[in-house]
Amino acid sequence: MSDILPLAVIGRRVEVSGECATVRFCGGVPPVAGLWLGVEWDNPERGKHDGSHEGTVYFKCRHPTGGSFVRPNKVNFGVDFVTALKKRYALEEEADEDGKACSLKVGCKQVQTVGFEHITKKQSQLRALKDISLSKCAVSCAGEKGGIAEACPNIRVVDLSKNLLSSWDEVILIADELRDLETLSLSENKLQFPLDSLTPPGTFSTLKILVLDKTGITWAEVLHCASGWPVLEELYLRSNSISISERPTDVLQMVRLLDLSSNPSIAENQLYLIAYLPRLEQLILSDVGLSSMHFPDAKTGCKTSMFPSLQYLIVNDNRISDWSFINELDKLQSLQALSCSRNPLTEGDKAETTRQIIIAKISQLKTLNRCQILPEERYGAELDYRKTFGNEWKAAGGHQDPDKNRPSAEFLAAHPRYQLLCRKYGAPEDEELEVPQPFMLKNQLLTLKIKYSNQLEQKELEKQLPDSMTVQKVKGLLSRLLKVPVSELLLSYESPKMPGREIELENDLQSLQFYSVENGDCLLVRW
């Protein structure tokens, strides 16, 4: 820290006693003598006023307690890139009276180098570094031209988060000397993005991953800068109060992942503007206040042309409370994975039921909330869905006879896949749709055949078992009947509704009901 101020101090990012701020004023503040800097704190609770003193407005803050006046010698304006690099990774040499290096400073420790010249040389080889983190190192500028390229020309990954960079132009100067740069994190640098600045050709020619969380960037600034990111594949824009105001044209065409989380100004209709990014495979929209989704170009049961490559959608921590949101997702032609945790629709004590309904509603889904959907789970979910809403289907005009099957448009809008599931598994029979009496054991018993697939001499049995009975308890019963250790038994079942298909009962803790075992099905036993 020094009394000597750098040029163009207004707008500079600074650190004062461990807190970051932006300089908004430089000058006198009568009646107190001397030079003062007016700063706006990142943490508004750190300040004392809004930039006014005794009725005079010296600068403006977004928060009434976001400002303070500080003396220049209390302010840290930061260091250049190479200085921070050397401080963190190596190697400040100190010379003895003969000018020969005699000690080495690594962090805060002083290390003697007598007899270890080769170690000193190895530790000083910043040029070999490829991945570096300078997070929280008070980096504020590129430094002397050519210095970065000379010190560390092979860097591919750089973390510059939580530093004192104040302008995108300074970022350009740094990147221009890192010709192999592939990943760059600039999170929590309050950057200015001048719309009249141009990125020199080739500056970001190899950049594939860019993190701009909490930088204050706008969507217009993203599109302006994106012309300099020709091969960018992943772009992170969390917590920037972004509103998507226009469609990307000739930019962001290579982006596979876009993270717009925690931008509460994003609305459903804004998503249409990014719906035709041709390679977008993963879209993260957590905590944006989203409650609905609609693809107007696709009718019920049809696929949308929007988001043609989208495979993974993350909409955690939103306001999704209606099943119409999930229905619309089945229109996405490439969707395979969905994460929708902590929404009103998925909260509560029926989480497992909700999961099964989502699986049944989205035909091509393979992963839900980071858990793989196995074929057996999909089979059970779709059968249960067909049965659960069977009475509603009949009341709306559904019928087992195809010539009489005319469910209402309202029912089809609420259950777009129901007709398809009926074609896949057959329409539900009346006895399936009888309302069970849950407190009577006889209404929960399943009559099942039991076959011993690899023991032909064993006779086929017929047993009545509760649908709540776990696979483990079924194995225990069979173990006692067959005098075979439980650990050697393997169970599966066949259903007359799915001829030729065998479903494994692989989880001992799940019930027969979980696997959608029904009356008349056949348990297959092997050991």
Side-chain angles (χ1 to χ4, degrees):
M1 302 182 190
S2 168
D3 289 322
I4 302 175
L5 292 178
L7 297 175
V9 68
I10 304 300
R12 287 287 298 269
R13 296 282 294 160
V14 295
E15 184 182 68
V16 185
S17 301
E19 297 271 359
C20 291
T22 303
V23 178
R24 302 297 187 196
F25 168 80
C26 179
V29 183
V32 182
L35 187 66
W36 292 90
L37 296 179
V39 299
E40 181 179 9
W41 300 100
D42 290 0
N43 176 13
E45 296 180 0
R46 174 68 171 79
K48 298 179 179 179
H49 51 72
D50 62 356
S52 303
H53 180 66
E54 294 186 355
T56 300
V57 178
Y58 291 91
F59 62 99
K60 293 183 178 181
C61 293
R62 288 167 293 182
H63 193 278
T65 61
S68 293
F69 291 105
V70 296
R71 291 295 191 184
N73 63 353
K74 301 293 185 181
V75 172
N76 176 15
F77 282 92
V79 297
D80 64 76
F81 185 99
V82 175
T83 298
L85 183 72
K86 289 182 177 180
K87 183 177 181 180
R88 169 156 289 189
Y89 283 91
L91 328 181
E92 297 172 356
E93 294 182 351
E94 295 183 0
D96 60 14
E97 294 180 357
D98 298 325
K100 296 180 181 180
C102 61
S103 65
L104 188 68
K105 192 175 183 182
V106 181
C108 297
K109 296 182 179 180
Q110 205 74 23
V111 181
Q112 296 299 317
T113 61
V114 177
F116 293 93
E117 292 84 357
H118 64 289
I119 297 178
T120 303
K121 183 178 180 180
K122 182 177 179 180
Q123 290 180 323
S124 300
Q125 287 296 319
L126 299 178
R127 297 175 62 85
L129 289 174
K130 292 184 178 180
D131 296 10
I132 65 168
S133 173
L134 297 181
S135 180
K136 298 181 181 179
C137 285
V139 177
S140 61
C141 62
E144 184 179 350
K145 184 175 177 60
I148 298 175
E150 173 63 27
C152 49
N154 296 308
I155 288 178
R156 287 173 168 76
V157 178
V158 180
D159 181 1
L160 283 170
S161 60
K162 300 179 181 180
N163 276 289
L164 300 179
L165 295 165
S166 56
S167 171
W168 180 250
D169 288 338
E170 205 64 46
V171 175
I172 290 174
L173 293 176
I174 293 172
D176 199 43
E177 299 193 33
L178 299 173
R179 309 310 293 180
D180 297 321
L181 185 63
E182 295 178 358
T183 300
L184 175 62
S185 176
L186 296 165
S187 294
E188 298 187 54
N189 286 279
K190 303 292 184 182
L191 296 169
Q192 297 295 316
F193 295 86
L195 292 177
D196 58 349
S197 65
L198 296 175
T199 303
T203 299
F204 297 103
S205 61
T206 59
L207 187 66
K208 294 181 179 179
I209 301 173
L210 178 59
V211 185
L212 293 172
D213 301 340
K214 296 184 180 180
T215 58
I217 194 170
T218 67
W219 185 249
E221 291 165 348
V222 169
L223 298 187
H224 175 75
C225 295
S227 60
W229 311 330
V231 298
L232 192 69
E233 296 181 359
E234 298 183 15
L235 178 58
Y236 298 84
L237 298 169
R238 291 174 288 227
S239 303
N240 283 302
S241 299
I242 280 177
S243 293
I244 303 173
S245 53
E246 57 183 298
R247 180 176 294 183
T249 303
D250 300 326
V251 295
L252 304 181
Q253 301 301 296
M254 301 292 288
V255 167
R256 295 186 299 104
L257 183 153
L258 179 60
D259 189 348
L260 294 166
S261 297
S262 302
N263 286 293
S265 299
I266 290 178
E268 175 193 350
N269 61 340
Q270 295 177 27
L271 299 179
Y272 300 149
L273 296 173
I274 59 171
Y276 294 98
L277 290 173
R279 291 178 173 81
L280 185 62
E281 297 175 359
Q282 184 170 341
L283 179 60
I284 307 176
L285 295 170
S286 295
D287 187 31
V288 298
L290 198 62
S291 61
S292 62
M293 183 83 79
H294 182 57
F295 301 111
D297 66 324
K299 297 179 180 179
T300 300
C302 299
K303 297 297 183 183
T304 179
S305 61
M306 298 183 181
F307 299 103
S309 301
L310 188 63
Q311 297 179 20
Y312 188 12
L313 176 64
I314 301 177
V315 286
N316 298 327
D317 303 295
N318 278 294
R319 301 173 185 170
I320 302 165
S321 59
D322 196 281
W323 284 110
S324 61
F325 187 100
I326 303 299
N327 290 339
E328 286 295 301
L329 298 186
D330 191 50
K331 295 179 179 180
L332 292 167
Q333 54 187 287
S334 302
L335 188 67
Q336 296 183 13
L338 171 67
S339 186
C340 56
S341 300
R342 298 178 298 280
N343 279 280
L345 186 67
T346 59
E347 292 295 280
D349 57 358
K350 296 184 178 180
E352 185 59 36
T353 300
T354 300
R355 175 179 171 86
Q356 300 306 305
I357 294 176
I358 293 174
I359 292 170
K361 281 181 172 287
I362 305 178
S363 58
Q364 69 275 28
L365 207 61
K366 296 181 179 179
T367 304
L368 177 58
N369 293 331
R370 297 190 296 179
C371 292
Q372 184 182 5
I373 301 169
L374 298 173
E376 293 77 12
E377 185 179 14
R378 173 163 293 284
Y379 172 73
E382 292 180 343
L383 279 181
D384 284 350
Y385 184 87
R386 166 183 157 278
K387 181 178 179 180
T388 299
F389 296 99
N391 286 319
E392 186 179 336
W393 167 73
K394 287 189 67 177
H399 199 281
Q400 287 91 347
D401 185 344
D403 295 332
K404 299 178 181 179
N405 183 28
R406 296 183 181 87
S408 66
E410 183 179 1
F411 177 85
L412 294 177
H415 305 279
R417 294 198 70 227
Y418 196 87
Q419 293 284 76
L420 186 147
L421 294 178
C422 286
R423 291 194 294 271
K424 183 176 181 180
Y425 300 109
E429 300 296 332
D430 290 343
E431 56 268 21
E432 291 183 77
L433 304 181
E434 292 178 358
V435 179
Q437 300 176 34
F439 299 105
M440 297 179 65
L441 180 60
K442 68 178 183 179
N443 292 312
Q444 296 177 309
L445 292 177
L446 303 174
T447 301
L448 304 174
K449 296 177 182 178
I450 301 177
K451 290 183 179 179
Y452 309 101
S453 299
N454 56 354
Q455 302 290 331
L456 299 178
E457 69 278 6
Q458 294 282 352
K459 292 183 179 180
E460 181 179 314
L461 296 179
E462 186 171 282
K463 285 283 185 182
Q464 285 192 320
L465 303 175
D467 62 2
S468 60
M469 194 171 191
T470 64
V471 174
Q472 188 174 35
K473 289 183 178 179
V474 175
K475 286 183 176 180
L477 172 65
L478 293 170
S479 174
R480 291 190 293 273
L481 287 173
L482 300 170
K483 311 300 182 185
V484 176
V486 170
S487 59
E488 296 183 14
L489 292 177
L490 299 174
L491 297 187
S492 58
Y493 82 96
E494 293 178 335
S495 171
K497 296 177 181 178
M498 296 289 288
R501 183 172 180 182
E502 185 176 333
I503 310 297
E504 291 185 15
L505 306 182
E506 57 186 6
N507 189 337
D508 286 353
L509 300 180
Q510 295 290 0
S511 66
L512 296 176
Q513 185 182 44
F514 174 83
Y515 286 104
S516 300
V517 179
E518 298 180 344
N519 267 320
D521 288 349
C522 180
L523 285 181
L524 303 175
V525 187
R526 296 183 177 87
W527 65 91

